[in-house]
Amino acid sequence: MTILLDSASVDDAAAAAELGFVRGITTNPALMARETKEPLAHLERLLAVFPEGPVCYQPTGTSFAAMREEARAAASLAPDRVVAKLPATLDAVRLAGILTGEGIRCALTAVYSPAQALLAHEAGCVWIIPYVDRAARHSDGGLTVVNSLAAMLARLQSDTRILAASLKSSVQVSDSILHGAHDVTAPLDVLRGLPAHPLTESAVREFAAAWPQT
Ligand code: E4P
């Protein structure tokens, strides 16, 4: 199981690197647009501030050729670390097959159906990325989606992993794993909130009171 940061902020990446349990980063064009007008240069900054692990980069271009060239340029910055993240369309499936053949790891993102999981498997993607909270708001429920993707990948005996995304709470993070996701990506505030529990906090207060600090 791998926990990733879902952000394009350099400050968030630096803070996540300090947490000790975050192993990589996911970005998307909307997150990038909040931080920069030069996404490839910004990707280099993220790679530098978060020095190990996968960084998922989603091309900002939308045509097949634009996505292909931007994904290649991103991967060339750190071939062992950059994962090309592509929205689950026909073009993206075709492109993922080509890039995978070139040795560039790919992920299909904005995944909501087992049919998309099947195609990600066929294209050799390392991850499919379901949007749990968005699915919870618009369809059968985010965890039902995760369940059905997990069933499809198990049926195919696939090496493709499920990276649950669009996670807005610690419960969504843990429930995603319990429902079949292999890995999770979440914003910094959600990651920081993972250990929070009122009974843990009251126990900490009790222990501290037993040994007043000087
Ligand atoms: C995943 O990689 C996406 O960046 C992200 O989780 C999208 O979902 P959101 O915009 O609902 O947070």
Side-chain angles (χ1 to χ4, degrees):
M1 198 275 298
T2 303
I3 299 174
L4 297 97
L5 168 72
D6 194 27
S7 173
S9 155
V10 168
D11 289 346
D12 285 2
E18 292 297 313
L19 290 176
F21 60 83
V22 181
R23 309 284 178 223
I25 300 175
T26 55
T27 69
N28 68 40
L31 293 173
M32 277 287 185
R34 288 186 209 161
E35 308 293 330
T36 185
K37 292 193 183 318
E38 295 179 358
L40 287 170
H42 194 77
L43 173 61
E44 279 193 278
R45 289 193 278 277
L46 290 173
L47 288 162
V49 79
F50 199 95
E52 285 180 23
V55 177
C56 293
Y57 178 86
Q58 188 172 333
T60 54
T62 53
S63 72
F64 181 86
M67 285 195 293
R68 182 187 59 207
E69 294 319 307
E70 202 176 330
R72 284 174 174 161
S76 73
L77 296 174
D80 296 340
R81 297 186 58 201
V82 172
V83 177
K85 182 167 172 275
L86 307 164
T89 63
L90 268 186
D91 266 359
V93 170
R94 184 161 70 97
L95 181 54
I98 291 168
L99 295 174
T100 297
E102 296 173 4
I104 298 172
R105 289 185 297 162
C106 293
L108 283 198
T109 195
V111 165
Y112 292 93
S113 78
Q116 293 169 326
L118 184 156
L119 293 174
H121 165 78
E122 281 301 301
C125 291
V126 292
W127 272 312
I128 50 172
I129 307 180
Y131 285 5
V132 172
D133 194 72
R134 292 195 199 191
R137 283 178 265 146
H138 290 108
S139 63
D140 296 341
L143 298 172
T144 306
V145 169
V146 174
N147 263 326
S148 63
L149 300 179
M152 175 59 79
L153 294 180
R155 174 76 183 88
L156 298 172
Q157 298 185 302
S158 180
D159 290 332
T160 301
R161 295 170 70 86
I162 299 171
L163 171 58
S166 186
L167 301 172
K168 307 302 178 195
S169 69
S170 53
V171 171
Q172 283 186 336
V173 170
S174 52
D175 278 354
S176 293
I177 297 293
L178 291 170
H179 283 76
H182 303 90
D183 308 304
V184 290
T185 184
L188 185 62
D189 61 333
V190 173
L191 298 178
R192 282 181 166 150
L194 286 177
H197 192 286
L199 293 179
T200 305
E201 283 148 25
S202 78
V204 167
R205 281 195 298 274
E206 176 194 334
F207 300 144
W211 287 89
Q213 309 293 302
T214 55

